[in-house]
């Protein structure tokens, strides 16, 4: 395989695997959705970063989680599915 063939095949592979927001679909099943992040904010407290699709872009939604006598309490605007993941991760 010569250099030109190699570079052409690499460019074709990169172009074929690229994704954009236009082919993402609708709702929270969009390709390229940023990951849910849970960061410690002190003993028994966490900062949670979820993402919402608005105005053709991903926007962060920040919430707080705290361990209470009743379990994990999440306060703030995050997706319901992300809220369940946070409680599952921190409750174990």
């Amino acid at each position: 395989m010569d250099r030109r063939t190699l570079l052409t095949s690499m460019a074709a592979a990169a172009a074929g695997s690229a994704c954009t927001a236009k082919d993402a679909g609708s709702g929270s099943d969009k390709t390229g959705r940023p990951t849910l992040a849970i960061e410690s904010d002190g003993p028994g407290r966490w900062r949670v970063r979820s993402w919402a699709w608005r105005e053709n872009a991903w926007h962060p939604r920040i919430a707080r989680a705290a361990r209470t006598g009743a379990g994990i309490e999440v306060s703030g605007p995050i997706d319901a599915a992300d809220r369940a993941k946070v409680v599952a991760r921190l409750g174990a």
Side-chain angles (χ1 to χ4, degrees):
M1 176 181 292
D2 65 357
R3 177 185 255 172
R4 181 177 295 165
T5 306
L6 175 63
L7 291 175
T8 304
S9 64
M10 288 172 54
S17 66
C19 74
T20 62
K22 287 194 314 190
D23 33 356
S26 63
S28 63
D29 296 330
K30 299 200 182 330
T31 302
R33 182 176 197 242
T35 58
L36 173 68
I38 303 172
E39 302 164 351
S40 179
D41 202 22
R45 296 186 331 241
W46 298 270
R47 179 179 180 265
V48 180
R49 186 176 59 239
S50 181
W51 298 89
W53 182 257
R54 284 190 331 265
E55 300 169 5
N56 210 23
W58 288 109
H59 296 274
R61 302 189 80 187
I62 307 298
R64 303 283 181 199
R67 185 174 311 278
T68 64
I72 301 297
E73 182 180 312
V74 180
S75 60
I78 63 173
D79 184 65
D82 286 341
R83 186 176 298 270
K85 288 178 188 175
V86 168
V87 171
R89 282 188 198 175
L90 298 176

